[in-house]
Amino acid sequence: QDALLMSRVAGGGGGGAGGGWGGGGDTGGAAKPSNPVLGNILIVSAQVVVSTQMVVEEKFLSRYRVSALQAVGWEGLWGLIFLSTALVGMYFSHWGPDTCDGHACIENAIEAALQVKSNPLLMAAVLGNVLSIAFFNYFGISVTQSMSATHRMVLDSLRTMVIWAFSLSVGWQSFAPLQVVGFSVLFFGTLIYNELLVLPFVGGSGQQEYIVDVLGGGEEEEID
């Protein structure tokens, strides 16, 4: 399992390196990133935080029997409370890149809300993002409950391939051969890890299968 996970890390790194150092991230007319190394470091740091969240989430879901929809609702409620409180502090702060009521601030939430209200296209984009995140969290928690947080993150990384393919199709990104190598390693590593592709020289995960009575609240039955 460790070797397969490392193949996925290498695949994702190859895709990112192709965009950052292989010239694949250069888009026509768009400004080049000023510090791609720092950008990749921030992305990796964010993934560490997300992975920690997934592990903690799996621990709670394994201890308490709660439906995926209810878990998403509670996460959304607490996220709304925390971010609303943070936005108030960002508005009344007297330093930052934004301007709030004549003084510098970190984020002007009132101006952002007025822009969304006055622009139907922006409103549709925000609502679409909210809807997509809701479905994303629901299906993610469902995967964590039925399998594990590791499987969730493995499958989640395939989103990068979809974004890459879409960017190429609409011309937002130029082609880089190194990215093909990286995403190929990522894709086949995912297939092997989930035992959808069985190779004779790669052992299975040895994972035991479980049947969980999610409706009746029954006990887990182990299958060898």
Side-chain angles (χ1 to χ4, degrees), residues 112-198:
L114 292 177
Q115 291 179 5
V116 172
K117 180 181 178 181
S118 61
N119 191 327
L121 184 61
L122 187 58
M123 172 73 74
V126 171
L127 294 178
N129 183 62
V130 171
L131 188 63
S132 66
I133 292 298
F135 279 103
F136 169 76
N137 288 334
Y138 173 77
F139 291 121
I141 290 179
S142 298
V143 171
T144 302
Q145 285 182 325
S146 59
M147 302 177 75
S148 69
T150 304
H151 285 84
R152 175 180 179 178
M153 297 306 296
V154 166
L155 297 174
D156 177 62
S157 64
L158 293 179
R159 286 188 305 153
T160 310
M161 294 180 57
V162 177
I163 296 173
W164 172 66
F166 180 80
S167 298
L168 290 177
S169 64
V170 298
W172 291 349
Q173 185 174 352
S174 57
F175 179 79
L178 183 58
Q179 289 182 328
V180 178
V181 177
F183 285 126
S184 297
V185 175
L186 174 66
F187 178 71
F188 285 104
T190 301
L191 293 182
I192 297 174
Y193 181 83
N194 290 280
E195 298 184 0
L196 298 176
L197 177 63
V198 180

Side-chain angles (χ1 to χ4, degrees), residues 74-99:
W74 280 112
E75 287 185 353
L77 176 62
W78 285 108
L80 177 64
I81 294 175
F82 288 147
L83 288 180
S84 297
T85 304
L87 285 174
V88 172
M90 292 178 184
Y91 184 88
F92 289 103
S93 65
H94 287 271
W95 59 272
D98 210 340
T99 303

Side-chain angles (χ1 to χ4, degrees), residues 21 38 48 167 216:
W21 291 282
L38 177 61
V48 172
S167 298

Side-chain angles (χ1 to χ4, degrees), residues 12-26 32-33 35-37 39-40 173 176 178-179:
W21 291 282
D26 187 16
K32 292 184 178 181
N35 196 338
V37 177
N40 281 278
Q173 185 174 352
L178 183 58
Q179 289 182 328

